[in-house]
Amino acid sequence: MANLLLEVNELSVSYGDVRALTDVSIAVDDGAIVALVGSNGAGKSTLLKAIAGLLHPSSGQMFFMGESIDGLSTKHRVDRGIVLVPEGRRLFQTLTVRENLKLGAYLPRARASYDESLERVFALFPVLKERANGKAGLLSGGEQQMLAIGRAVMAHPKLVMVDEASLGLSPLLSAAIFELIVALNQQGTTVLLVEQNIHMALKICSTAYVMKTGSVVLSGTGQELLASEDVRKAYIGERGGRR
Amino acid sequence: MGSFAQVFINGILLGSMYGIAAAGLSLIFGTMRIIFIAQGTMIVFFAYVVYWCFQKAGIDPYLSLFIAVPLAFAVGLGMFYLVFRKAAALEDKNVSLLIAVGLMYLVENLMLKVWSANPRGLKLDIQGVVIAGWGLRISVVRLILLGIALVSALVVSLFLKRTRLGTAVRAASEDMEATTLQGINSVWVCAVSFAIGIALAGAAGVGMATVYSFDYKFGFTFALKALVALALGGIGNVFGALAGGLILGVIEQLASYYIGMNWIEAVSYGVFLLVLAFLPQGLFGKRGLIKKV
């Protein structure tokens, strides 16, 4: 039985009067890859933002390594090792690749292992080393996604949350990014994944949660959900059929 | 030809005041996304501080740079945490803009109360000193003001490029939420960049006190001119803003010499509109990158 790294307990989040999440509970084991899947507007990104401390839940609890992180600022969550790679990558386009990575290791704890982290990022993504002094905005889409993940690795994280890593990338590049996420995970970093490419996400994850209109409606191992008739019909549907 | 060179030099010297004000506006705009309309008024305020240091304590106006700049930085931090902190976090930037307008009138009226409506100006021996040669005449105090503007821009630019916090300021100017996601305290980053903008007003105040005679309302025009300079130079680049100021100064002096004194303002704001309409990134804005973002 693996240790629990992150536990989210009956979390609810509202944007003004609009309920975005209702009583969502998930558990992420230390060392696992966990996927959140579901259609647009299901609340997956909202859940990641709430875990990152960007949104304030109206009720529910979150525990990281057994300690409550409710009410902690994003800064303190990053310091504990919770890092979000946001949707759309959100790189600092006018800054160089190296400056982006440097900002990823901004906090003292991360700064202490800067050289080691940089080596790790350059080993995972050699292209970033070649482009280190170029502007991030001039990278290709795939390279930008690598930099976004690399920037998160610089924070020396225990949990990396990746929101829509494959969005806008070709199938080939998506597969490459997924391979890199698996490689990152094998180095000991726990990964919480939000993906529109459900088939791929279910293939690499150990556990997955299916979300719909702000709630978790189904969960299981990736294999179970891949085999599930309901999931195939509802989410993989046509795309699965074409394969 | 000699007169053209003289007009050009006069323009550069006039423009250094616009440039240093514009550099402050650019920095503050970067993180707060507002035109800090009170910048000119803050410059006048620090000009009064320099004036007071001289009158009450006999402190040399150039030495008082070391008082005005740190004081301005502290005032900037205080102002940010006191009145801007909540508004800066809002999506709607109009609130911050309104606060800036309110600050401008508040500070103007406080200055009116304390220093009266009479124009003030320092009487210094150095003001009469002129460098002459090749048929040109350059006022030394104005030349020093240009120097202050250049050094200030250089210091700020080095801070932004070379330091960790400066890099964070540049990052926050681009994407505040992504900056927060790196574990960076983006409120502090905003506060610091605002305070540096006000510190530039402190440096500009020394220039104003040594070159101009000023009263409590004198600042608003400078804020507007700085805005024109910012439009010319493009946002997000300290030297671009400074260069925008110098170019505006030259344009004004050329207009004054070749068209007529009373055309200065019309030409400035005409250029402002033309640039915004046809070159919205300014003369040095990096079009390619901005488009991509």
Side-chain angles (χ1 to χ4, degrees):
Chain A
M1 193 57 194
N3 286 322
L4 207 54
L5 185 67
L6 172 77
E7 189 186 356
V8 174
N9 209 347
E10 303 201 325
L11 199 74
S12 296
V13 174
S14 301
Y15 293 110
D17 290 337
V18 184
R19 242 325 164 60
L21 291 183
T22 310
D23 296 333
V24 170
S25 300
I26 66 166
V28 177
D29 284 341
D30 198 4
I33 297 182
V34 174
L36 297 171
V37 299
S39 48
N40 278 339
K44 297 162 295 177
S45 294
T46 302
L47 179 55
L48 293 194
K49 281 185 180 178
I51 297 169
L54 288 178
L55 297 172
H56 302 291
S58 44
S59 64
Q61 299 93 36
M62 289 178 272
F63 298 91
F64 189 71
M65 298 173 73
E67 286 175 39
S68 168
I69 55 169
D70 300 327
L72 286 186
S73 67
T74 300
K75 176 182 163 178
H76 287 103
R77 294 186 198 208
V78 172
D79 203 30
R80 294 207 179 181
I82 305 172
V83 181
L84 173 63
V85 180
E87 184 177 350
R89 339 208 202 289
R90 306 281 289 270
L91 295 173
F92 305 115
Q93 311 250 344
T94 59
L95 272 55
T96 65
V97 168
R98 193 184 299 278
E99 284 170 333
N100 270 276
L101 293 172
K102 218 172 229 173
L103 287 174
Y106 196 85
L107 290 175
R109 189 181 64 84
R111 214 179 300 170
S113 51
Y114 176 77
D115 291 333
E116 185 190 317
S117 302
L118 194 65
E119 224 167 87
R120 183 176 171 207
V121 170
F122 284 162
L124 271 170
F125 313 110
V127 65
L128 296 183
K129 191 173 187 175
E130 289 165 33
R131 300 292 185 86
N133 297 318
K135 293 260 195 284
L138 298 175
L139 297 178
S140 71
E143 290 163 351
Q144 292 205 8
Q145 189 60 57
M146 292 177 196
L147 178 54
I149 297 172
R151 188 174 63 176
V153 171
M154 292 303 293
H156 210 278
K158 294 189 179 68
L159 172 69
V160 172
M161 302 186 283
V162 189
D163 197 350
E164 303 285 17
S166 72
L167 201 65
L169 300 183
S170 69
L172 208 65
L173 266 173
S174 302
I177 292 288
F178 272 98
E179 260 174 48
L180 288 163
I181 289 174
V182 171
L184 180 68
N185 175 251
Q186 281 165 352
Q187 293 176 359
T189 308
T190 306
V191 178
L192 178 56
L193 210 60
V194 160
E195 253 309 319
Q196 36 92 36
N197 191 336
I198 293 166
H199 189 78
M200 267 217 218
L202 292 181
K203 262 167 115 176
I204 65 167
C205 72
S206 48
T207 313
Y209 293 87
V210 181
M211 291 183 70
K212 195 175 176 184
T213 56
S215 302
V216 170
V217 290
L218 202 62
S219 66
T221 66
Q223 292 308 315
E224 280 167 7
L225 293 181
L226 263 180
S228 147
E229 199 57 32
D230 290 348
V231 173
R232 293 193 75 91
K233 263 196 208 142
Y235 303 106
I236 305 179
E238 297 176 1
R239 206 179 290 173
R242 240 189 274 146
R243 269 165 208 281
Chain B
M1 198 57 209
S3 61
F4 176 82
Q6 181 69 55
V7 170
F8 188 85
I9 288 170
N10 289 349
I12 294 282
L13 296 176
L14 170 70
S16 43
M17 196 68 199
Y18 301 155
I20 191 170
L25 281 192
S26 166
L27 206 60
I28 294 173
F29 184 87
T31 48
M32 309 235 322
R33 300 282 147 188
I34 58 158
I35 298 296
F36 187 63
I37 200 75
Q39 184 73 352
T41 304
M42 294 312 296
I43 294 175
V44 170
F45 174 78
F46 290 108
Y48 274 119
V49 169
V50 172
Y51 173 82
W52 233 8
C53 284
F54 182 73
Q55 296 293 357
K56 302 268 169 187
I59 300 170
D60 181 273
Y62 291 115
L63 260 183
S64 60
L65 259 181
F66 297 98
I67 299 171
V69 172
L71 177 70
F73 184 84
V75 166
L77 277 186
M79 249 163 42
F80 183 87
Y81 278 103
L82 208 63
V83 293
F84 280 110
R85 192 187 168 161
K86 280 223 166 113
L90 298 176
E91 196 85 31
D92 185 352
K93 295 303 173 196
N94 284 321
V95 181
S96 298
L97 187 60
L98 288 174
I99 291 175
V101 172
L103 257 178
M104 180 177 83
Y105 285 116
L106 177 68
V107 174
E108 271 191 5
N109 283 287
L110 289 177
M111 293 193 299
L112 173 64
K113 272 279 152 221
V114 177
W115 287 292
S116 84
N118 298 328
R120 300 292 163 98
L122 294 172
K123 299 273 176 293
L124 308 166
D125 294 339
I126 195 176
Q127 282 163 340
V129 181
V130 167
I131 299 174
W134 300 291
L136 301 174
R137 295 171 59 80
I138 298 174
S139 140
V140 166
V141 283
R142 285 176 186 262
L143 194 62
I144 295 176
L145 170 53
L146 175 63
I148 291 175
L150 287 173
V151 170
S152 307
L154 184 69
V155 169
V156 172
S157 169
L158 283 176
F159 162 76
L160 291 175
K161 290 248 162 70
R162 298 287 166 82
T163 68
R164 189 176 290 269
L165 185 57
T167 311
V169 169
R170 282 187 291 143
S173 309
E174 218 183 290
D175 190 333
M176 194 65 72
E177 193 177 68
T179 307
T180 305
L181 281 176
Q182 309 316 309
I184 296 169
N185 180 348
S186 45
V187 175
W188 170 244
V189 170
C190 280
V192 167
S193 67
F194 182 78
I196 294 175
I198 303 301
L200 284 172
V206 172
M208 180 172 280
T210 50
V211 173
Y212 296 89
S213 112
F214 54 92
D215 63 29
Y216 70 102
K217 283 184 309 201
F218 195 49
F220 184 58
T221 320
F222 274 101
L224 289 183
K225 291 293 168 65
L227 189 56
V228 181
L230 199 60
L232 277 168
I235 280 162
N237 175 347
V238 177
F239 276 109
L242 181 64
L246 301 184
I247 292 169
L248 177 63
V250 170
I251 291 174
E252 285 194 356
Q253 289 298 304
L254 289 176
S256 164
Y257 188 80
Y258 290 105
I259 313 177
M261 249 309 245
N262 44 9
W263 278 90
I264 289 184
E265 306 296 314
V267 168
S268 300
Y269 297 115
V271 167
F272 179 53
L273 290 183
L274 284 178
V275 168
L276 286 181
F278 297 108
L279 257 182
Q281 321 281 0
L283 301 178
F284 317 108
K286 289 168 194 148
R287 283 190 149 216
L289 265 180
I290 286 175
K291 258 188 182 164
K292 225 176 162 183
V293 170

